[in-house]
Each structure stands twice: as structure tokens, then as C-alpha cells.
């Protein structure tokens, strides 16, 4: 009898330890940092497919979007932040909130689908934004752009989804060098970052977007391969993003893998470990 009670006690202690660990992890993820794995090439060459980072949730304060999302397609699990904290949606203020700055790399919830997106903050409330011949025009003034050479990568499947990059040097064969034109863009507040250009496309020339109060305008650094605020939500784009949908700021890459799995150690990018995000 004593032996049976000892086994039950051991099992109970194990269960309690697991529950406490999950609670601590949940609180940590909700309040401080959220892991994020880069699934697409929309932010090249700032972020590459397979980069792993933690999102700083303390940077802008807290809203319903600060609650974790749990998505495991293989198990049919799809729980969004609104499922956990939907009661707080529509709140006028963020808890301990501070304003994002132009040029920040930000994770936010897509205003329609609820999926987590990562893009660069280009437009603040009240800004007027336009693209002319691929150049960003901010409040009527062209943003400074300088040539930064050519970005090269192998034309091969990338990441778990096996996505192949788009190339400015035309159709290239498997294993060949895929090129994109690279420029350094400097925003009015002095933030500089690289952008990539592939070829002329529809969103290289746009009308004027006026950012509404309480909203933000985001763009990917890989300008010709990004669905962002240039595309309206009705067409599957991001459109203007409400302040409450912001999750946090991406500050530093922790780990990076160029392969289909992070377990393929021979595909690790050692030069990107703990790399700051500009």
C-alpha cells in the first residue's frame, strides 16, 4: 500500500511540475517574449527564411494581441490571441503602451486573418505614402536611396515550405545564382536598411495612402515579394494595421537554419547567431 501511495505521489508531483512549467512558459510568452520563425522571403535580406527570433512584447505595451497564438496544422490546432483574450479587443489604449518608431521591424496580427506577420513600419498615423517607379515617397518627399550592390542566393528550395526565390536575372536553373538589386533606404528619422528590387510590378507605382489615426503602414524589405499595406485587405493584403493588432518589436536573430529543419545542423548559418536586426 505504501509503495502504491509512493508511486501515486511521484506521478502527482510530476504532473504538478509540468503544469507549473507550462504556466510559467505561458506567462513568459504572454508578457515578455514570443518566439517567431521566419517562413517567407518578404523581409530579405534583413531577415532570411529560417531565421529564428524572439519578439519583444514589452516594447509597445500590451493589448489583446499580446496573448499567445497556438497553431499546429498537423494536429488541427488553430487558437488565436483573440480566442484567449478577445474580451480585450477594441480597447482604446494599450497597457503600458509606447509608440512604435518608423523603421522598426514589427510583428503584428493580420487585421483579417489573425495570422502573425512581420514587416517594417514605414507609415505613422497621418502620414501620406506613395510609391513612384519603385521609390518610396513619404509625405511628398522621396526617401533617400543609395545603390548597395547585388544580393545573391542559391536558386533552391528554402525552409520547411520549400519556397524558391524570385530572381532579377531571369529564369535560372537549380543551384544557380539568383540575383536581386539591393539598395539602402534611409528614412526621415535616420533609420537605414536594405531593400531588394526584382523587377517592375504593379505596386511600384501607387496612389497616395493616407494612414488613419490609430493605424500604421507596413512594408516588406523585399519590396517585389511582399504582401503588405500597399495591398488592400479585400484583396488579401495587410492594409492599414490597427494599433491594437501590434504584437511586439523584433530586435535580434537568435538562430538561423537554411535547411528544411532546424535539426539539419549542416545548414545552420553561424554568421547570423544573435545578429541584431537593423
Amino acid at each position: 500500500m505504501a509503495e502504491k501511495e509512493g508511486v501515486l505521489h511521484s506521478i502527482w508531483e510530476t504532473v504538478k511540475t509540468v503544469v507549473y512549467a507550462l504556466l510559467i512558459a505561458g506567462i513568459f510568452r504572454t508578457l515578455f517574449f514570443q518566439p517567431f520563425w521566419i517562413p517567407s522571403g518578404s523581409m530579405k535580406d534583413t531577415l532570411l527564411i529560417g531565421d529564428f527570433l524572439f519578439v519583444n512584447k514589452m516594447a509597445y505595451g500590451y493589448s489583446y494581441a499580446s496573448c499567445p497564438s497556438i497553431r499546429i496544422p498537423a494536429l488541427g490546432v488553430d487558437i488565436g490571441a483573440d480566442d484567449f483574450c478577445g474580451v480585450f479587443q477594441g480597447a482604446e489604449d494599450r497597457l503600458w503602451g509606447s509608440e512604435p518608431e518608423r523603421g522598426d521591424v514589427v510583428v503584428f496580427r493580420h487585421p483579417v486573418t489573425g495570422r502573425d506577420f512581420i514587416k517594417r513600419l514605414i507609415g505613422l498615423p497621418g502620414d501620406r505614402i506613395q510609391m513612384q517607379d519603385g521609390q518610396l515617397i513619404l509625405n511628398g518627399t522621396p526617401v533617400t536611396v543609395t545603390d548597395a550592390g547585388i544580393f545573391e542566393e542559391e536558386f533552391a528550395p528554402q525552409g520547411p515550405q520549400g519556397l524558391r526565390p524570385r530572381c532579377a536575372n531571369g529564369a535560372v536553373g537549380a543551384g544557380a545564382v539568383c540575383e536581386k538589386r539591393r539598395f539602402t533606404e534611409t528614412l526621415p528619422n535616420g533609420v537605414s536598411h536594405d531593400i531588394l528590387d526584382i523587377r517592375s510590378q504593379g505596386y511600384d507605382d501607387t496612389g497616395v495612402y493616407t494612414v488613419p489615426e490609430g493605424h500604421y503602414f507596413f512594408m516588406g524589405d523585399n519590396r517585389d515579394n511582399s504582401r503588405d499595406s500597399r495591398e488592400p485587405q479585400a484583396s488579401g493584403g495587410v492594409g492599414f494595421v490597427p494599433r491594437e493588432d501590434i504584437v511586439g518589436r523584433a530586435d535580434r536573430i537568435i538562430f538561423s537554419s537554411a535547411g528544411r529543419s532546424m535539426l539539419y545542423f549542416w545548414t545552420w548559418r553561424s554568421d547570423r547567431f544573435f545578429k541584431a536586426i537593423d
Side-chain angles (χ1 to χ4, degrees), residues 64 69 71 78-82 108-117 245 247:
Y64 88 95
S69 298
R71 291 187 170 90
D78 189 352
I79 304 173
D82 51 336
F108 57 88
R109 284 172 53 82
H110 190 292
V112 176
T113 67
R115 302 290 182 179
D116 286 342
F117 270 48
D245 285 343
V247 176

Side-chain angles (χ1 to χ4, degrees), residues 129-133 202-209 217 230:
I129 296 165
Q130 186 177 18
M131 298 295 294
Q132 291 183 355
D133 195 24
Y203 285 107
D204 283 346
D205 292 279
T206 71
V208 177
Y209 305 92
F217 191 97
R230 291 171 293 176

Side-chain angles (χ1 to χ4, degrees), residues 5-275:
E5 290 179 352
V7 170
L8 291 176
H9 177 75
S10 178
I11 293 174
W12 174 239
E13 289 300 315
T14 300
V15 170
K16 286 199 299 182
T17 299
V18 171
V19 170
Y20 291 154
L22 290 174
L23 285 173
I24 292 171
I27 293 171
F28 185 86
R29 180 173 176 177
T30 300
L31 296 180
F32 303 110
F33 298 97
Q34 174 177 315
F36 193 89
W37 187 274
I38 302 300
S40 74
S42 68
M43 282 294 292
K44 292 179 181 177
D45 64 343
T46 303
L47 298 172
L48 304 181
I49 295 176
D51 283 348
F52 179 79
L53 50 90
F54 283 101
V55 180
N56 181 358
K57 292 189 173 185
M58 299 176 286
Y60 310 128
Y62 303 94
S63 72
Y64 88 95
S66 303
C67 287
S69 298
I70 302 175
R71 291 187 170 90
I72 309 175
L75 300 178
V77 177
D78 189 352
I79 304 173
D82 51 336
D83 295 313
F84 285 114
C85 299
V87 66
F88 299 112
Q89 273 188 281
E92 294 184 5
D93 296 314
R94 298 177 68 94
L95 182 63
W96 303 316
S98 60
E99 294 300 318
E101 296 183 8
R102 196 192 314 278
D104 287 354
V105 176
V106 177
V107 171
F108 57 88
R109 284 172 53 82
H110 190 292
V112 176
T113 67
R115 302 290 182 179
D116 286 342
F117 270 48
I118 185 166
K119 305 289 181 185
R120 190 176 298 275
L121 176 55
I122 298 297
L124 304 175
D127 280 344
R128 291 174 290 107
I129 296 165
Q130 186 177 18
M131 298 295 294
Q132 291 183 355
D133 195 24
Q135 183 173 18
L136 174 63
I137 311 296
L138 188 55
N139 294 321
T141 303
V143 170
T144 301
V145 175
T146 56
D147 192 339
I150 300 295
F151 171 73
E152 297 182 348
E153 58 184 336
E154 181 184 0
F155 186 74
Q158 299 179 351
Q161 301 179 57
L163 302 176
R164 295 180 183 272
R166 295 176 60 201
C167 312
N169 54 329
V172 300
V177 175
C178 176
E179 299 180 349
K180 298 175 181 63
R181 293 178 291 273
R182 176 165 50 195
F183 301 90
T184 298
E185 182 178 81
T186 302
L187 299 174
N189 60 346
V191 173
S192 293
H193 59 275
D194 287 344
I195 58 173
L196 300 182
D197 176 68
I198 302 173
R199 60 178 61 94
S200 296
Q201 63 164 26
Y203 285 107
D204 283 346
D205 292 279
T206 71
V208 177
Y209 305 92
T210 301
V211 185
E213 187 64 31
H215 292 70
Y216 298 93
F217 191 97
F218 291 93
M219 293 174 66
D221 290 348
N222 192 0
R223 291 286 163 82
D224 293 338
N225 194 40
S226 174
R227 304 194 74 172
D228 48 42
S229 291
R230 291 171 293 176
E231 187 176 1
Q233 294 169 8
S235 301
V238 170
F240 301 120
V241 177
R243 187 168 182 261
E244 70 168 353
D245 285 343
I246 288 178
V247 176
R249 186 180 65 215
D251 294 326
R252 189 173 296 274
I253 299 163
I254 304 301
F255 171 85
S256 184
S257 172
R260 301 294 294 269
S261 169
M262 64 181 295
L263 300 178
Y264 297 169
F265 63 88
W266 57 91
T267 67
W268 293 353
R269 304 180 180 109
S270 58
D271 61 326
R272 298 184 70 78
F273 288 7
F274 304 104
K275 184 179 186 294

